[in-house]
């Protein structure tokens, strides 16, 4: 199959390029920037896209463009750092800009070009750079400018190497998809060859061919990601799938019962492990969020390992461990394959697996975003009550309890969160927001309940709208609704006398509080 190959130079937006290309109907795959000629040829590239990245081209550590990229004789598009790397490679000049360019900027097209087909003469684009091109290499021309980038879009005279200083892959750029499509269709001459249904059938076939008659363990949380993995595996290997559900004591109210019931309806039997006491004991006295994540991650693996060893004795031929890792987990964790990325936070299911686990890892969703995973679930026939569940962090409520996690704090948060979810569903708002949850804060405030002065806990409500979790805006929920939820929580949840609503976007905040 013909492929658009994206080379990763470390941008937080890199996988968005893959996703946008697939969205407009072309098969795309991601490789590290220094992928070998053989790796590239194996994908039958029709064009190469160079991603953005956090470095300056004049830095000693800056990744470069391997010479064999230009010997493939396919069109090349450089985005942000990719543009600067092209200019630097061919002898142009890139320097630190006196005025950085972050956020919206107006792009003005100065020359007609196939990449701008059916686009207006000027439109908003999203910039994110501190360096800029000061002088073009020989045989390159400028075809669009912005206020702070005189060479905002460039191409070579032959018309097969392009560079854009902005990010067409982000939703903030107007006509970003159109620019990518014009490059692929008009410049590379590629025909559309990709649908999500293709991914599903290909992945099922891959799993069948890989696993054969062996068995696969899956850490099943009941969330969308692991549930889609479970159904994908079940379609491929049937009863050779062994899903293991670990009750960490950090789950939402009634979650254990609901997960077992929902999967029984599909025909999938779950191995249920009750480890509540172990996790709550391990978290005693720990307040630092990273330490909590690591403690939960390590303990989860230990509990899972012990369970797996028991199952291995019983079944004998368990060879693989499946995980519901998504691409945002990868890019926020700086695993080894992303040599040029910057770590943001630790994910318990990304990296750090102990060598003692005698299984090979299967991560069929590792290059997908949440909305793509939901689409796969829809194609596979995953029940709506699972498919439409909001994202839930791997460490569970531990990262929604700011400070030390105790049995009492878990109970308070479970009750408050349950009321919030119940009211969102009752008012037909649950499916209109991307993710909503409650957070228990490590402070107490004065209140008055009846004739008594109280000094009790504060619960924060968080609800966001997002396309993929990389950026998010707070949900503009009706005031009357928020008032009703706050009243219910204060009246029904013992130990809470104040409710607040988080109206911060991502960035600068993350979606979760820890």
């Amino acid at each position: 199959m013909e492929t658009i190959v994206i080379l990763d130079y470390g941008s937080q937006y890199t996988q968005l390029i893959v996703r946008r290309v697939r969205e407009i109907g072309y098969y795309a795959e991601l490789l590290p920037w220094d992928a070998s000629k053989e790796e590239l040829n194996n994908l039958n590239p029709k064009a190469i896209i160079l991603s953005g990245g956090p470095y300056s081209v004049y830095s000693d550590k800056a990744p470069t463009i391997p010479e064999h990229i230009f010997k493939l004789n396919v069109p090349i598009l450089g985005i942000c750092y990719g543009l600067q790397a092209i200019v630097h490679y061919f002898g142009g000049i890139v320097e630190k800009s006196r005025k950085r360019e972050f956020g919206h900027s107006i792009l003005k097209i100065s020359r007609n070009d196939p990449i701008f087909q059916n686009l207006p003469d000027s439109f908003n684009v999203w910039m994110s750079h501190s360096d800029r091109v000061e002088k073009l290499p020989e045989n390159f021309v400028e075809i669009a400018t912005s206020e702070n980038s005189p060479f905002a879009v460039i191409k070579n005279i032959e018309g097969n190497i392009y560079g854009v200083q902005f990010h067409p892959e982000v939703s903030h750029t107007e006509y970003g998809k159109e620019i990518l499509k014009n490059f692929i269709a008009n410049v590379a001459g590629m025909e559309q060859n990709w649908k999500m249904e293709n991914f599903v059938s290909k992945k099922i076939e891959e799993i069948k061919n890989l696993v054969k008659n062996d068995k696969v363990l899956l850490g099943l949380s009941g969330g969308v990601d692991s549930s889609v993995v479970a159904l994908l595996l079940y379609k491929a290997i049937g009863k050779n799938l062994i899903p293991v559900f670990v009750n960490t004591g950090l789950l939402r109210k009634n979650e254990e019962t609901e997960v077992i019931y929902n999967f029984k309806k599909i025909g999938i039997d779950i191995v249920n492990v009750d480890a509540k006491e172990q996790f709550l004991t391990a978290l005693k006295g720990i307040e630092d969020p990273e330490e909590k994540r690591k403690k939960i991650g390590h303990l989860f693996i230990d509990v899972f390992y012990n369970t797996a060893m028991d199952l291995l004795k019983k079944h004998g031929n368990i060879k693989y461990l499946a995980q519901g890792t998504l691409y945002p987990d990868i890019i926020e964790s700086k695993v080894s394959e992303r040599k040029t990325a910057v770590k943001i936070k630790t994910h318990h299911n990304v990296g750090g697996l102990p060598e003692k686990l005698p299984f090979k890892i299967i991560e069929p969703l590792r290059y997908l975003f949440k909305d793509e995973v939901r689409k796969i679930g829809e194609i596979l026939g995953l029940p709506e009550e699972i498919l439409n569940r909001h994202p839930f962090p791997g460490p569970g409520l531990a990262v929604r309890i700011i400070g030390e996690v105790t049995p009492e704090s878990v109970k308070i948060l479970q009750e408050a969160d349950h009321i919030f979810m119940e009211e969102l569903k009752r008012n037909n708002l649950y499916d209109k927001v991307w993710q909503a949850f409650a957070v228990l804060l490590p402070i107490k405030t004065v209140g008055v309940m009846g004739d008594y002065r109280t000094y009790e806990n504060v619960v924060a409500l968080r609800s966001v709208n997002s396309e993929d979790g990389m950026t998010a805006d707070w949900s503009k929920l009706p005031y009357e609704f928020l008032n009703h939820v706050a009243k219910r929580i204060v009246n029904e949840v013992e130990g809470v006398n104040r409710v607040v609503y988080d109206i911060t976007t991502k960035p600068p905040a993350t979606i979760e509080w820890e």
Side-chain angles (χ1 to χ4, degrees), residues 15 30 128 305 489 505:
Q15 178 60 10
L30 180 69
S128 182
Y305 173 81
I489 290 173
T505 61

Side-chain angles (χ1 to χ4, degrees), residues 259-270:
V259 168
I260 294 169
Y261 173 75
N262 285 332
F263 277 92
K264 205 167 190 66
K265 283 199 301 183
I266 300 172
I268 301 176
D269 293 322
I270 294 173

Side-chain angles (χ1 to χ4, degrees), residues 218-228 230 244-246 251-252 255 258-260 262-263 270 382 385-387 389-390 392:
L218 168 66
L220 179 67
S221 70
V224 177
D225 308 336
S226 64
S227 297
V228 169
V244 176
F245 179 81
V246 177
L251 307 175
R252 288 167 285 202
E255 188 153 18
E258 290 173 4
V259 168
I260 294 169
N262 285 332
F263 277 92
I270 294 173
L382 195 67
E385 54 266 35
I386 302 175
L387 187 62
R389 291 186 77 186
H390 290 177
F392 190 64

Side-chain angles (χ1 to χ4, degrees), residues 444-476:
K444 291 188 176 183
T445 64
V446 175
V448 178
M449 302 179 86
D451 295 325
Y452 296 94
R453 178 183 182 274
T454 62
Y455 191 60
E456 294 181 336
N457 297 285
V458 179
V459 165
L461 303 180
R462 176 78 157 147
S463 181
V464 298
N465 289 84
S466 177
E467 191 173 311
D468 47 45
M470 299 299 296
T471 60
D473 193 11
W474 61 280
S475 306
K476 280 65 175 179

Side-chain angles (χ1 to χ4, degrees), residues 233-442:
L233 287 165
Y234 186 68
K235 297 276 187 184
I237 61 174
K239 295 295 183 181
N240 281 337
L241 168 66
I242 306 175
V244 176
F245 179 81
V246 177
N247 187 346
T248 62
L250 305 168
L251 307 175
R252 288 167 285 202
K253 186 177 179 180
N254 302 327
E255 188 153 18
E256 181 181 41
T257 304
E258 290 173 4
V259 168
I260 294 169
Y261 173 75
N262 285 332
F263 277 92
K264 205 167 190 66
K265 283 199 301 183
I266 300 172
I268 301 176
D269 293 322
I270 294 173
V271 177
N272 189 27
V273 181
D274 186 351
K276 293 191 291 290
E277 288 189 17
Q278 287 174 261
F279 280 88
L280 290 171
T281 300
L283 290 170
K284 192 171 182 180
I286 297 176
E287 296 185 359
D288 180 73
E290 273 293 287
E291 193 177 349
K292 283 195 284 189
R293 284 178 178 270
K294 289 176 181 176
K295 182 72 72 173
I296 291 166
H298 292 319
L299 181 55
F300 183 89
I301 293 298
D302 288 342
V303 171
F304 194 89
Y305 173 81
N306 293 332
T307 304
M309 292 304 97
D310 291 339
L311 291 168
L312 193 56
K313 289 176 186 176
K314 180 179 177 181
H315 295 283
N317 60 334
I318 302 173
K319 191 174 179 180
Y320 298 96
L321 168 65
Q323 295 193 135
T325 308
L326 301 191
Y327 195 74
D329 301 337
I330 302 292
I331 60 180
E332 290 189 347
S333 298
K334 191 185 179 286
V335 294
S336 59
E337 69 183 59
R338 303 199 78 240
K339 305 165 190 173
T340 49
V342 178
K343 180 173 177 177
I344 297 172
K345 65 182 178 183
T346 300
H347 286 266
H348 81 289
N349 60 339
V350 180
L353 289 170
E355 293 179 3
K356 65 181 181 180
L357 274 172
F359 308 116
K360 295 179 180 178
I361 304 301
I362 300 175
E363 294 175 313
L365 309 179
R366 71 185 281 109
Y367 291 122
L368 299 179
F369 284 87
K370 181 72 72 174
D371 62 316
E372 293 179 304
V373 173
R374 290 189 197 278
K375 178 63 177 174
I376 291 174
E378 187 181 321
I379 292 167
L380 291 170
L382 195 67
E384 281 193 21
E385 54 266 35
I386 302 175
L387 187 62
N388 295 327
R389 291 186 77 186
H390 290 177
F392 190 64
L397 297 181
V399 292
R400 293 177 179 175
I401 296 170
I402 312 303
E404 184 181 5
V405 177
T406 66
E408 294 75 26
S409 63
V410 170
K411 182 170 175 52
I412 289 173
L413 185 54
Q414 283 177 333
E415 295 298 331
D417 187 76
H418 181 70
I419 289 171
F420 192 21
M421 296 305 104
E422 189 174 67
E423 289 299 334
L424 282 167
K425 291 172 183 175
R426 184 176 291 163
N427 288 273
N428 297 317
L429 292 168
Y430 186 85
D431 293 333
K432 294 178 181 178
V433 301
W434 194 76
Q435 184 177 9
F437 55 90
V439 181
L440 184 62
L441 305 188

